[in-house]
Amino acid sequence: MSIKKLSIVIPAYNEAKTIHRILNKVGEVTLIDGIEKEIIIVNDCSTDETEVVLAQYATDHPQLGLQIFHHEINKGKGAALHTGIAKATGDVLIIQDADLEYDPNEFNILLKPIVDGFADVVYGSRFMGGKPHRILFFWHSIGNKFLTFLSNMFSNLNLTDMETCYKMFRSDILKSIQLKEKRFGFEPEVTQKVAQIPKIRIYEVGISYYGRTFEEGKKINWKDGFHAIYCILRYGLFK
């Protein structure tokens, strides 16, 4: 597949302390085959200084051509992704969290199976390969693996990390999917719906993971885990 542009969609909610650091990393990445970057940030009605920080960063780094969109009310990560996906014009799209848990230097690892013509969708797994992983919560990792197992049961995939942030899609495929989930239900919903596309080619590659604690700003909690189960059943059973 000939790829000219990668759209990088960054949902942001109260990330004033770290958003500039992840944008620095994204800006420094050189993509394979001379692929151009399109950086789309969706500020989901942050209550901290995220909006101000983004405006200043865009002024200071005009060469990045940042596209910044704001929600007037807080709608959730999924809703921010819906906005970013709709605005994207790249041939391929990847989701990048605004924190520092994932390394943009690994975009090329996910791009390669698509560029080489093998994949339509690539997931970056935190649970495979020899990349560094911060050691954090036992029950959180068990929860992730359980959700992946349950998701695989209904999607008939053999993913190792359904809940990963790093998901890369051919844009035409992602835009063809009607997405409904407004919060963290995006992950299981998009996985079930992608798996239902005839002849879809899904790959998985190992990535690094620099996880953060709740004190450091991690937002997902046990309630989101239960909603993920609901989403797997809803979108896996009722196709």
Side-chain angles (χ1 to χ4, degrees):
M1 178 181 178
S2 177
I3 300 173
K4 295 182 179 179
K5 185 192 300 182
L6 171 68
S7 295
I8 303 159
V9 177
I10 307 175
Y13 177 68
N14 289 352
E15 300 288 0
K17 294 181 179 179
T18 61
I19 189 72
H20 66 287
R21 295 173 63 188
I22 200 65
L23 290 174
N24 286 342
K25 287 179 175 288
V26 170
E28 291 166 1
V29 173
T30 299
L31 300 177
I32 57 176
D33 290 5
I35 295 172
E36 176 188 349
K37 288 177 290 188
E38 175 183 61
I39 306 172
I40 299 171
I41 307 154
V42 182
N43 173 31
D44 191 32
C45 194
S46 296
T47 57
D48 66 356
E49 296 298 309
T50 297
E51 183 172 352
V52 175
V53 170
L54 286 173
Q56 186 61 55
Y57 194 95
T59 299
D60 294 342
H61 301 83
Q63 74 281 5
L64 294 181
L66 299 183
Q67 298 183 47
I68 303 172
F69 302 94
H70 301 282
H71 286 173
E72 294 301 320
I73 60 173
N74 179 256
K75 299 179 181 180
K77 179 181 178 179
L81 290 174
H82 298 172
T83 297
I85 292 165
K87 300 294 184 180
T89 63
D91 307 291
V92 177
L93 182 151
I94 190 169
I95 298 162
Q96 169 70 59
D97 280 349
D99 54 36
L100 302 171
E101 293 190 328
Y102 295 82
D103 185 1
N105 286 302
E106 297 178 351
F107 286 167
N108 287 322
I109 298 174
L110 287 94
L111 267 171
K112 195 172 188 309
I114 300 179
V115 170
D116 290 346
F118 293 112
D120 303 308
V121 178
V122 180
Y123 278 42
S125 173
R126 297 165 290 178
F127 304 125
M128 63 182 288
K131 300 291 185 179
H133 299 80
R134 183 178 181 182
I135 302 301
L136 282 173
F137 310 110
F138 171 76
W139 289 112
H140 190 262
S141 66
I142 292 296
N144 273 335
K145 291 177 181 178
F146 171 75
L147 291 174
T148 297
F149 173 79
L150 189 64
S151 176
N152 286 343
M153 285 180 60
F154 290 96
S155 65
N156 198 29
L157 300 176
N158 62 340
L159 293 170
T160 65
D161 191 6
M162 178 273 292
E163 287 282 350
T164 181
C165 163
Y166 269 4
K167 295 177 172 69
M168 184 177 285
F169 307 86
R170 275 179 36 198
S171 295
D172 60 324
I173 289 174
L174 186 58
K175 286 175 177 285
S176 72
I177 300 172
Q178 185 177 2
L179 296 168
K180 299 179 180 179
E181 293 298 318
K182 305 298 186 183
R183 287 181 48 78
F184 293 104
F186 172 87
E187 315 293 355
E189 179 191 12
V190 76
T191 301
Q192 294 299 319
K193 290 185 174 180
V194 162
Q196 293 163 17
I197 298 174
K199 298 183 179 180
I200 191 77
R201 300 172 301 170
I202 303 174
Y203 272 62
E204 196 174 44
V205 297
I207 59 168
S208 307
Y209 182 60
Y210 303 91
R212 60 180 180 171
T213 65
F214 291 99
E215 290 77 15
E216 293 167 337
K218 194 170 188 66
K219 299 179 179 69
I220 196 167
N221 58 43
W222 63 269
K223 293 180 181 178
D224 297 303
F226 280 106
H227 188 68
I229 294 173
Y230 163 78
C231 291
I232 291 169
L233 296 176
R234 177 182 180 185
Y235 301 112
L237 284 173
F238 304 103
K239 297 178 173 64

